[in-house]
Amino acid sequence: MRVSVDEATCVGHGRCYALAPEVYGADDFGHCEILVADGLVPAEAQHAARIGAEACPEHAITLEDHTS
């Protein structure tokens, strides 16, 4: 799974990183930043990544199935 955030859409509610701190973090302004390398979510964090993305009121987070 690959995760990305639309920085122009994120307003910094913080729900994503409150629910999935292993995937999402906050920049200096409280906006979402992706913590996993290259946006690739390891299998053990995929459930948390989905929960964090679904909690975003602006739908600024995109999850894509990814196979290497």
Side-chain angles (χ1 to χ4, degrees):
M1 168 186 294
R2 184 179 300 273
V3 63
S4 62
V5 63
D6 180 343
E7 296 172 10
T9 302
C10 176
V11 297
H13 286 284
R15 294 176 184 178
C16 58
Y17 50 83
L19 294 170
E22 64 270 53
V23 179
Y24 309 107
D27 68 10
D28 292 338
F29 302 100
H31 295 117
C32 176
E33 63 181 5
I34 305 301
L35 300 180
V36 293
D38 297 322
L40 296 176
V41 182
E44 64 273 9
Q46 289 183 6
H47 179 71
R50 283 187 189 93
I51 290 172
E54 291 170 0
C56 178
E58 280 76 31
H59 306 286
I61 299 171
T62 301
L63 298 173
E64 300 174 37
D65 286 330
H66 178 77
T67 56
S68 48

